[in-house]
């Protein structure tokens, strides 16, 4: 899966939880879920569950703690898909 395909899937997953539409329109690898998109911690848990379902992977607690921005999410997803 290419980075563009992965970002497209992540955009679909996070879209329902975004509080800052302007930041969402310019979502990139550098976008922070909490700081830029204004997603609260409860919704971050929902996003993690949605990522597990979408990619058929299991995320551990340490993965979840690191998944604060798009780049980290992509790295974790790619690592899980490769294993």
């Amino acid at each position: 899966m290419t980075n563009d395909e992965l970002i497209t899937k992540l955009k679909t997953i996070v879209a329902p939880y975004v509080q800052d539409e302007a930041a969402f329109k310019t979502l990139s690898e550098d976008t922070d879920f909490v700081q830029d998109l204004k997603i609260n911690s409860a919704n971050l848990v929902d996003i993690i569950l949605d990522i597990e379902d979408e990619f058929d992977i299991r995320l551990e607690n340490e993965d979840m703690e690191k998944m604060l921005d798009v780049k980290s999410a992509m790295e974790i997803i790619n690592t899980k898909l490769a294993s």
Side-chain angles (χ1 to χ4, degrees):
M1 178 177 312
T2 68
N3 281 351
D4 287 342
E5 291 171 331
L6 191 49
I7 287 176
T8 300
K9 283 191 174 203
L10 284 172
K11 278 182 109 168
T12 303
I13 292 168
V14 302
Y17 309 104
V18 170
Q19 301 299 315
D20 187 332
E21 291 296 328
F24 179 69
K25 289 178 182 158
T26 60
L27 186 137
S28 70
E29 286 187 29
D30 298 323
T31 302
D32 184 285
F33 293 129
V34 177
Q35 298 297 318
D36 298 327
L37 301 179
K38 311 291 187 243
I39 295 172
N40 67 38
S41 57
N43 286 341
L44 211 47
V45 172
D46 292 331
I47 289 169
I48 288 168
L49 295 173
D50 292 346
I51 287 172
E52 286 183 325
D53 290 344
E54 175 68 30
F55 296 99
D56 195 27
I57 58 176
R58 174 91 171 97
L59 298 171
E60 305 303 326
N61 285 339
E62 61 265 14
D63 298 324
M64 295 177 202
E65 291 168 7
K66 294 177 194 169
M67 200 175 286
L68 300 175
D69 55 45
V70 173
K71 186 173 187 168
S72 299
M74 292 171 64
E75 289 171 358
I76 292 165
I77 292 166
N78 282 327
T79 300
K80 293 292 182 178
L81 290 175
S83 60

